[in-house]
Amino acid sequence: MTIFLALLPAYILSIFYRSFLSVIANPVMTDLGIGPRELGFLGAAWFITFALAQFPVGWALDRLGPRRTVAVTMAIGSAGAFLFATATHAVTGTLGMAMIGLGCSPIFMSALFLFAWTQDPKRFGFLTSVFIGLGSIGNLVGAGPLAVAAARFGWRPSMLVVAGCFLAATVVAAALVRDPPRAKAASGGHEGLLKGLQSILALRPLWLLAPITLTGYAIIATARGLWIAPFMSGVHGFDAIAGGHVATSMALTMIAGAFLYGGLEQRLGRGKPLVLWGTVLTALCFIALALWGDAHSALAIGLFALIGATGFTYAVLMAHARLFFPEHLIGRGMTFVNFLFIAGAAAIQSGSGWFIAEQRQAGLDAATTFAHLHWGFAALLLVPSAIYAFMPERPVKS
């Protein structure tokens, strides 16, 4: 399918850039002269610009089409990738990550936009899950392989190679993406950016979906993207390569979870129970990690793997939200939901870095610090799950 050929390479890199920092956290902090608080903000910079870009990206998809939207933003992201790889201090590193976040911001949404306009609606959740599952190869590359490459060649040369790949993916996307027919004016397609946002906010069921959207993906992204390797090194004494392999195991289960959730959603025709009970199970895994994660490294690895499989409900939750958007708001509606996903990740990544730094300053050891973090993650999953339980499965037909 042309959509996969055009956008999957770029999406693989987008997934890579939201998850790679934990693996090279120590050399990056050393070279840039930063601590865990600044590392958290460095990772959050990608998510902040990605999230803020969702509003103009949604408008651009509905009004201009994905081709120009992707080409312009990914060109900026390519420049940011090279800037980050050559950064010598926190400011340029953060700016580079912010530019990459902008470059990645329309990739996934453009694929979903094209699925929504060119494919059978019944296949939307399945195609989204497959796209996410294949895109999660970026999670794998940003784990063990990056750890090995960084140990052998250094993190800067490794990231320069990735920057070259981002530039190549930009050229491929600009050449292959084609714009579908646009929404009809009679349905409200000429609504501007703010008017469209007002129409989205008027969809009351989405208010019940917002809390779990803000925290569900964010916590998985933060655990995998920032703290899994520092946890394994600080609590269990793993070196960088061994920690990278643990991140790889979690990345693999995230891929498996994406395909499993997509297949179940297509077979059952119901996404809400999958999201609800998957999130509850993920919270229970974080509770187990808080209680016993320091006891045995094998248990911690197994719990992280299970968290990756059960917590990756991103695609099914997006498909559930999709049911409530009229055609003329498909682009803006889905990018608004994606804004919630990514804004939550930005907040939790930045907040978790601050939290870890505060715990260290209080004199707590690594095991206690991460246990407190995992208790917090569990709470941030269980409370939104209780709210999401009241979300209707489908729009009420008038």
Side-chain angles (χ1 to χ4, degrees):
M1 185 184 295
T2 303
I3 299 172
F4 281 80
L5 293 175
L7 292 171
L8 184 58
Y11 186 58
I12 289 172
L13 289 162
S14 176
I15 295 294
F16 171 91
Y17 274 110
R18 70 184 70 179
S19 63
F20 77 102
L21 266 179
S22 74
V23 172
I24 57 173
N26 290 331
V28 168
M29 286 192 290
T30 299
D31 281 5
L32 300 186
I34 61 176
R37 183 183 287 108
E38 293 80 10
L39 179 71
F41 188 73
L42 191 69
W46 187 97
F47 288 94
I48 290 169
T49 54
F50 189 110
L52 292 177
Q54 294 307 296
F55 297 106
V57 162
W59 176 86
L61 288 175
D62 281 330
R63 298 296 296 274
L64 305 176
R67 186 175 188 182
R68 282 176 286 180
T69 305
V70 167
V72 172
T73 54
M74 284 194 67
I76 297 171
S78 297
F82 285 101
L83 178 62
F84 174 80
T86 57
T88 55
H89 49 76
V91 174
T92 52
T94 302
L95 177 60
M97 288 295 289
M99 293 171 66
I100 297 167
L102 177 62
C104 294
S105 63
I107 296 168
F108 180 56
M109 288 298 99
S110 294
L112 266 59
F113 183 85
L114 291 168
F115 290 152
W117 278 104
T118 63
Q119 303 297 315
D120 186 337
K122 295 180 180 178
R123 302 187 67 215
F124 181 85
F126 175 72
L127 289 172
T128 301
S129 296
V130 171
F131 192 80
I132 289 176
L134 294 175
S136 295
I137 292 171
N139 237 332
L140 293 177
V141 177
L146 177 62
V148 172
R152 181 170 298 181
F153 305 109
W155 73 270
R156 293 184 188 279
S158 301
M159 295 308 299
L160 280 171
V161 171
V162 179
C165 293
F166 197 98
L167 179 59
T170 301
V171 174
V172 170
L176 295 182
V177 170
R178 294 291 181 269
D179 294 331
R182 299 181 191 165
K184 299 295 186 291
S187 66
H190 287 324
E191 288 182 353
L193 183 61
L194 293 179
K195 181 63 176 177
L197 180 59
Q198 290 175 354
S199 297
I200 292 166
L201 293 175
L203 300 172
R204 296 301 179 185
L206 296 180
W207 290 70
L208 299 173
L209 180 130
I212 199 170
T213 307
L214 281 166
T215 63
Y217 170 75
I219 288 170
I220 302 303
T222 300
R224 164 61 189 88
L226 275 185
W227 302 120
I228 185 171
F231 172 87
M232 296 307 299
S233 65
V235 176
H236 294 290
F238 281 35
D239 61 21
I241 293 178
H245 290 325
V246 177
T248 299
S249 69
M250 185 174 179
L252 283 169
T253 58
M254 289 171 71
I255 294 173
F259 283 110
L260 178 62
Y261 276 125
L264 288 173
E265 194 271 344
Q266 186 178 41
R267 182 171 182 176
L268 299 176
R270 301 179 65 198
K272 179 185 171 180
L274 298 175
V275 173
L276 180 60
W277 295 112
T279 304
V280 170
L281 181 55
T282 304
L284 294 176
C285 289
F286 273 116
I287 291 173
L289 200 57
L291 291 172
W292 306 297
D294 62 337
H296 301 285
S297 60
L299 176 62
I301 293 169
L303 287 170
F304 275 121
L306 188 57
I307 286 167
T310 60
F312 207 44
T313 59
Y314 186 35
V316 180
L317 192 55
M318 181 68 77
H320 190 194
R322 161 70 182 89
L323 298 174
F324 293 85
F325 297 124
E327 286 191 347
H328 72 283
L329 287 176
I330 286 176
R332 281 163 287 184
M334 290 190 302
T335 50
F336 176 76
V337 174
N338 206 40
F339 163 78
L340 296 178
F341 279 122
I342 303 303
I348 289 177
Q349 290 217 354
S350 181
S352 66
W354 171 85
F355 180 84
I356 294 290
E358 290 295 315
Q359 296 277 292
R360 288 184 179 179
Q361 288 179 4
L364 299 180
D365 61 16
T368 304
T369 294
F370 280 108
H372 291 169
L373 182 69
H374 294 147
W375 277 114
F377 284 171
L380 288 171
L381 291 172
L382 289 174
V383 173
S385 295
I387 297 171
Y388 179 68
F390 295 95
M391 171 86 177
E393 284 201 50
R394 296 185 178 277
V396 177
K397 295 182 179 180
S398 55

